[in-house]
Amino acid sequence: MWQRASWPRQHMHAAARRSICSRSVLPVVMGQQQTEHSAAQLHEWLCAVGFTLKDYSAPPSLKHQDGYNSEPIRVAAALQLVDPERFPTASAAKKLVRKGSVLVNGRPARIEQQVLLGTDRLQLHERAPPLFSPSGDPPFHVPVLYEDEWMAAVHKPPGVSTQPPVDILEPSLDMVQTMRCAVPYFLAPSTQEDATWRPMLCHRLDKLTEGVLLVAKTKRACTGITDQFKAHSIHKSYLAVVHGSPPAESGTVSLKVDNKEAVTDWAVTERLKLSNRREITALLMHPHQGRTHQIRIHCARGLGLP
């Protein structure tokens, strides 16, 4: 079944009731045997989503001290030695280690882990400065349907994920072939005082679904759009093409998805008979919720139309 999603233009809430915070996430664990290609992919992904990857090497003054490169020390202590201005205390270093922002030989560091300065590779990934520009070429083209200082609407093609998967253990194209990585290449940074540090995708679409994604460029816009999604004041419409033909012209499917309430209104827009005497039908779908695969499940199980 093929789906297309679209949203009518809605007026955003004017008042922002909470601040939008983004946490540093690195959904990639690289083995110690890194290839040049995998390292380049990791760097490309980090740049695209607004992170920098900083390599730490021991200061020259440390290299001349007795015992250098002979006694292992804990990661937090190593960070204090190589960057005392950034890590004036052990607690400051441990905070980023717990957050998963410190890598040792390409893997997330552990609090109790020990390293040899000059031998082990110590890296820190963190947000890029505001108004960053992605480097390199975009992973794919993203048509911009609407854009202003506060928000944008972009077209998501079928076959690409909205967000990078969080369970990939080795670098792959799946990390880069996502809307989160591609969108920053096609939008101009906002000049507003509350501009977000990168374009924020306000919702998601399934990988196989083609449609419109709303993107916030300011904190106020992000709050307004996400609040409307939570209040169900943004009305989503999907066009689904299914095998077979329903007995009626319209109806409602009420069927739980993952043990959660899910309701979808549907209406026939076109019925077609193929040369092999099989039928396909185009359905306009209006889901009341946004459960994962809700439309696919309601078509297949609720209407018997895969």
Side-chain angles (χ1 to χ4, degrees):
M1 182 182 67
W2 174 85
Q3 298 176 16
R4 178 187 293 247
S6 61
W7 284 262
R9 294 180 63 179
Q10 300 286 329
H11 177 66
M12 290 187 299
H13 293 316
R17 291 186 291 276
R18 67 178 187 280
S19 62
I20 301 299
C21 299
S22 299
R23 59 191 180 94
S24 170
V25 178
L26 181 64
V28 181
V29 180
M30 300 178 63
Q32 295 186 17
Q33 301 297 325
Q34 298 186 62
T35 65
E36 182 177 349
H37 179 62
S38 63
Q41 279 190 333
L42 175 60
H43 178 71
E44 179 182 357
W45 185 85
L46 289 171
C47 290
V49 296
F51 288 102
T52 59
L53 190 62
K54 181 176 182 180
D55 269 294
Y56 280 117
S57 59
S61 58
L62 287 178
K63 297 182 179 181
H64 301 290
Q65 293 183 9
D66 293 336
Y68 170 76
N69 202 27
S70 60
E71 295 294 332
I73 59 176
R74 296 210 169 187
V75 174
L79 290 173
Q80 288 184 268
L81 286 174
V82 298
D83 195 347
E85 292 185 3
R86 176 68 187 275
F87 304 104
T89 64
S91 61
K94 291 178 180 178
K95 181 178 180 180
L96 286 186
V97 173
R98 293 191 184 98
K99 194 176 181 181
S101 299
V102 180
L103 307 179
V104 175
N105 298 324
R107 295 180 178 274
R110 305 182 308 276
I111 289 293
E112 70 279 2
Q113 187 171 359
Q114 294 188 331
V115 297
L116 280 173
L117 287 176
T119 300
D120 291 310
R121 188 179 187 186
L122 198 60
Q123 295 173 297
L124 173 69
H125 74 91
E126 56 188 345
R127 287 186 186 179
L131 305 182
F132 80 99
S133 296
S135 62
D137 297 324
F140 53 87
H141 180 67
V142 176
V144 179
L145 308 177
Y146 173 81
E147 182 179 12
D148 58 27
E149 277 285 288
W150 300 271
M151 63 168 290
V154 299
H155 178 262
K156 175 194 171 300
V160 299
S161 299
T162 303
Q163 299 284 357
V166 297
D167 55 352
I168 288 184
L169 298 181
E170 294 296 336
S172 71
L173 289 177
D174 288 338
M175 294 187 297
V176 181
Q177 294 288 333
T178 63
M179 292 297 291
R180 181 178 178 183
C181 294
V183 166
Y185 286 93
F186 299 93
L187 298 184
S190 173
T191 59
Q192 299 297 306
E193 292 183 0
D194 64 337
T196 54
W197 64 285
R198 63 169 175 81
M200 307 295 290
L201 303 183
C202 298
H203 57 107
R204 58 173 291 278
L205 293 176
D206 290 344
K207 183 175 182 178
L208 298 179
T209 300
E210 175 185 8
V212 179
L213 278 176
L214 299 183
V215 185
K217 298 169 62 174
T218 67
K219 294 178 181 178
R220 181 178 178 181
C222 191
T223 299
I225 295 173
T226 54
D227 281 353
Q228 288 188 80
F229 273 109
K230 290 180 180 179
H232 304 292
S233 59
I234 293 181
H235 302 287
K236 298 173 285 186
S237 300
Y238 292 79
L239 180 64
V241 179
V242 297
H243 293 281
S245 181
E249 292 300 313
S250 62
T252 299
V253 176
S254 180
L255 181 67
K256 287 187 176 182
V257 176
D258 294 331
N259 293 321
K260 297 179 180 179
E261 179 185 1
V263 178
T264 303
D265 299 325
W266 61 272
V268 174
T269 61
E270 190 172 2
R271 301 176 190 262
L272 296 174
K273 288 188 177 182
L274 305 181
S275 57
N276 57 4
R277 296 184 179 180
R278 299 180 63 182
E279 291 183 311
I280 61 173
T281 305
L283 300 176
L284 187 63
M285 315 290 291
H286 297 281
H288 294 201
Q289 297 80 18
R291 313 297 184 203
T292 302
H293 302 310
Q294 176 174 332
I295 292 178
R296 300 176 190 276
I297 293 173
H298 280 188
C299 285
R301 299 179 186 174
L303 297 176
L305 303 173

